[in-house]
Amino acid sequence: MSAPGTPDNPIRVAVIGAGPAGFYASEHLLKHEPLEIEVDLFDRLPTPFGLVRGGVAPDHPKIKSVTRVYEKTAAREGFRFFGNVKLGEDISVSDLESHYHAIVYTFGAETDRHLGIPGEDLTGSHAATAFVGWYNAHPDYADESFDLQTKRAVVIGNGNVATDVARMLALTEAELRETDTADHAIEGLAGNAIEEIVVLGRRGPAQAAFTNPELRELGEMEQADIVVDPAEIELDDQSKAYLDSDDADITTRKNVEILNEFAKKPLEGKPKRIVLRFLRSPIELQGDGRLEKVVIGRNELVEREDGTLRANDTGDREELECGLLLRSVGYTGIGVEGVAFDERRGTILNADGRVLEAEGNGPRPGHYTSGWIKRGPSGVIGTNKKCAQETVSHLLSDAEAGNLHAPEAPDPDAIEELLREREVDFVSFAGWQAIDAAEVARGEPQGRPRVKFVRVEEMLEAARESVGG
Ligand code: NAP
């Protein structure tokens, strides 16, 4: 047989995780000429698009329109989707090695980081990721419940996920009802009793991780005033010097400007308030079985040896009553059996996308990674395009050097047979399109983009309606 990469012996690649990272990796692989490459894109859910479907806030439909790019990739020759297939459960890494010349892990950062403070597990204290999954109809979070009949919610963290959850708590019922927010979440959020949403940043305004449009949006809510105490956004000397320097990041400079505008903005008497606070950390969550208040510590910024500023507890304390706390302090990855993992970073152990055999060892032939599980949970959706390009370029140069796997059963039918043998109810892209059409049809009478299915069983049933799904 000819070398892999020719029409009679294509390079077969399994991409694991159908979010942006998986689709961009697939696109780069399928676009590549003159090598003949085929891609099977797997996802543990019956639905593709990862965080675009399950993470992006429902009131940001424009961001979700990136799925059109992914649909074009899915329409390319040589692409197949296998939804509802769990790596580590339905198939193993060694199964993939038997069927593919290369594997690209793109399954993202699946879980949340913890604060590590007393009371974190009280009822009423949640990971923002769970709240996001719940309002986005992610099947894993369908049965979560949040007490939205409390007057004050506290959000920990100064990233864009914190802005998403703060906004979702402040949307009007009419705003919510235009979106594809899960029905169960609309019911809860529409009648919520929250009057104040307090967002705590452990460092100062010049260290916040918000991007400018997301921060600005918090000051433009229909039913929420924005509140910033001018004293809390006064800059320390180092931050001031940084912002005045030529090295200053434009986003940071603009964030500080926006926050200064917020601090001057008069209250308009809206029914809710979003309060942005800085140099504040939760020290302890208190309550009798359920969250009643958060003890907050005041921080000061201290310069580390590398010149960055860290938050240092001054010992000053205050207490804030609240019934809901969402920690939004970043995602982290979970490994998969048989692939080296960097526990500290929460990523697959890799060098620029080439998976390593083990710490300090060289690359493991045929294994690659891209997206959040490669580099950690940072950047916007588009960041994954460049990230995938780097990984795929390494894969291609390894292919040219003859350094991929030599699978025993590369025939495209063999993996399907294996899944059928194991009674895995996998969903093809046509199956997903049937789910998609059903969801859109459910939304139409209500003037909503879609009404999402929440249960995997419902999704599988809709997929079965498709020809060959
Ligand atoms: P992020 O941007 O990394 O922000 C995490 C925040 O948590 C930081 O402010 C961090 O502060 C804080 N933090 C970490 N540990 C903490 C602790 N123990 N106590 C208090 N605060 C703590 O993460 P993210 O918000 O989860 O977002 C993930 C990525 O998705 C980001 O790149 C984000 O831009 C992107 N995203 C984009 C959009 C959008 O474009 N609309 C929407 C959502 C998410 P320090 O800086 O002090 O560590």
Side-chain angles (χ1 to χ4, degrees), residues 428-467:
S428 66
F429 205 73
W432 151 245
Q433 285 168 321
I435 299 172
D436 184 36
E439 288 187 343
V440 170
R442 280 153 45 110
E444 230 155 6
Q446 299 174 39
R448 293 168 61 194
R450 67 178 65 240
V451 173
K452 286 178 177 174
F453 293 115
V454 177
R455 305 281 168 193
V456 166
E457 242 342 290
E458 295 173 313
M459 297 175 195
L460 295 179
E461 208 168 297
R464 283 185 208 113
E465 309 277 307
S466 72
V467 183

Side-chain angles (χ1 to χ4, degrees), residues 60 63 113 115 156-162 164 202-203 207 209 211 214 328-331 372 377-380:
H60 278 173
I63 299 182
R113 293 182 49 220
L115 296 166
I156 312 296
N158 266 186
N160 283 335
V161 171
D164 281 346
R202 67 174 164 184
R203 298 192 288 160
Q207 288 77 39
T211 46
E214 281 65 26
S328 179
V329 293
Y331 290 74
W372 279 7
S378 66
V380 291

Side-chain angles (χ1 to χ4, degrees), residues 15 64 88 92 102 113 138 153 158 196 232 306 323 360 368 438 443 459:
V15 180
K64 289 178 198 249
S92 65
R113 293 182 49 220
H138 191 299
N158 266 186
E196 189 169 274
E232 276 185 28
D306 64 1
Y368 301 87
M459 297 175 195

